[in-house]
Amino acid sequence: MPTSPEALLHRFYPEMAFGGFTRVSATVEFFTRINALVKPTDRILDYGAGRGATIETGGNAFTQWMKDFKGRVAHVEGCDIDPAVLENPFLDGAAVIGPDGKLPYPDNSFDGVITSWVFEHIEHPGPFAAEVMRVLKPGGFLAAMTPNKRGYIALGSRLAGNAQHVDLLKRVQPDRNDFDVFPTFYRLNTRKDIQRAFTGAGDIAVYGTSSEPAYHFNNLLLYRLFRLIHAVTPDAFHTALLIFIRKA
């Protein structure tokens, strides 16, 4: 029998009643580490900022605060291939970039680059990595959260193919918006891919994590099954990768 996502969260993660997030939240893990890195004087680039959906949808006031750096740092810039980025209310400035991925910023422009659920959409990892490192200041950080190519979510997406991607996501995540779905390539979604693309960039830390189940058709039995899968999954096959790179 279908059950609402909120009801499933509270059933299996009672700590949701105390702060509004689960103990396994990849989002909280990711942005906690970023908040430990940023300083009030920093200039931050949100790569793939879009319309701000990752901030304004889901979560609560606390988790939204964790992801919203406007007013807490010197400047938050956003870029995206989607012109919707120009209307993003969480940015101090924004730019639309072309398919070539060239960034309209001088060298050493930013203290940090943050990108959530973007690496899977990168078609040409080498030029992308070079461009991101170019605009980062020495000592600056890149923080990325992306599906793990070896995880079951990415595997299912690749088997479905881009043509069926929107329909598949609407079935397993009924509340998801069609316009938040873009073609995927998964060419920057393993540890080896990341280390290859960012060779010589600086210090690199990549680790896997599996958050609360997200692809379950709002079905109680499937939710239980995916929680069990997450509990026994080896690190190399977790559903998501968290990536932190410090520019030399």
Side-chain angles (χ1 to χ4, degrees):
M1 178 179 293
T3 307
S4 74
E6 192 70 15
L8 288 168
L9 280 172
H10 282 275
R11 175 167 184 161
F12 290 100
Y13 303 97
E15 69 272 16
M16 281 284 295
F18 302 90
F21 57 91
T22 75
R23 60 189 178 274
V24 296
S25 171
T27 296
V28 171
E29 161 68 16
F30 181 60
F31 282 97
T32 294
R33 199 167 296 278
I34 293 172
N35 274 273
L37 291 170
V38 298
K39 304 182 295 296
T41 55
D42 282 352
R43 289 177 52 84
I44 299 296
L45 175 64
D46 185 344
Y47 192 110
R51 60 188 176 87
T54 59
I55 297 176
E56 67 185 5
T57 59
N60 57 17
F62 174 69
T63 52
Q64 289 175 357
W65 172 86
M66 293 185 77
K67 296 181 283 185
D68 182 8
F69 294 97
K70 185 177 181 180
R72 298 200 285 129
V73 298
H75 183 87
V76 181
E77 182 76 9
C79 66
D80 204 295
I81 61 171
D82 187 344
V85 72
L86 301 176
E87 307 299 324
N88 187 322
F90 304 103
L91 304 173
D92 297 307
V96 178
I97 59 176
D100 61 2
K102 294 293 184 181
L103 297 174
Y105 312 112
D107 295 356
N108 307 323
S109 292
F110 299 101
D111 300 281
V113 175
I114 301 169
T115 178
S116 301
W117 313 117
V118 169
F119 272 28
E120 65 271 25
H121 304 293
I122 300 301
E123 187 173 5
H124 304 293
F128 164 80
E131 193 67 356
V132 169
M133 288 296 110
R134 180 185 69 78
V135 301
L136 261 182
K137 297 177 183 178
F141 71 87
L142 166 65
M145 178 164 55
T146 191
N148 180 4
K149 184 177 181 178
R150 296 193 174 100
Y152 70 83
I153 293 176
L155 177 61
S157 173
R158 284 153 51 216
L159 288 173
N162 281 318
Q164 305 298 322
H165 200 196
V166 173
D167 181 61
L168 176 64
L169 285 178
K170 287 299 291 181
R171 291 175 61 197
V172 297
Q173 286 186 313
D175 300 325
R176 184 160 183 156
N177 294 314
D178 290 355
F179 49 77
D180 289 332
V181 181
F182 299 93
T184 53
F185 298 97
Y186 294 104
R187 294 174 181 170
L188 197 54
N189 291 82
T190 67
R191 286 179 175 84
K192 184 177 291 187
D193 289 340
I194 293 158
Q195 290 166 349
R196 183 187 301 115
F198 290 94
T199 296
D203 296 330
I204 300 176
V206 182
Y207 57 101
T209 185
S210 290
S211 198
E212 58 275 355
Y215 299 87
H216 45 73
F217 299 90
N218 294 341
N219 182 281
L220 178 61
L221 292 179
L222 280 178
Y223 203 92
R224 289 183 186 276
L225 174 62
F226 284 124
R227 286 188 77 237
L228 176 60
I229 291 172
H230 289 186
V232 300
T233 297
D235 184 67
F237 298 98
H238 276 301
T239 58
L241 293 178
L242 303 187
I243 302 145
F244 297 90
I245 301 173
R246 176 80 70 181
K247 183 176 177 178

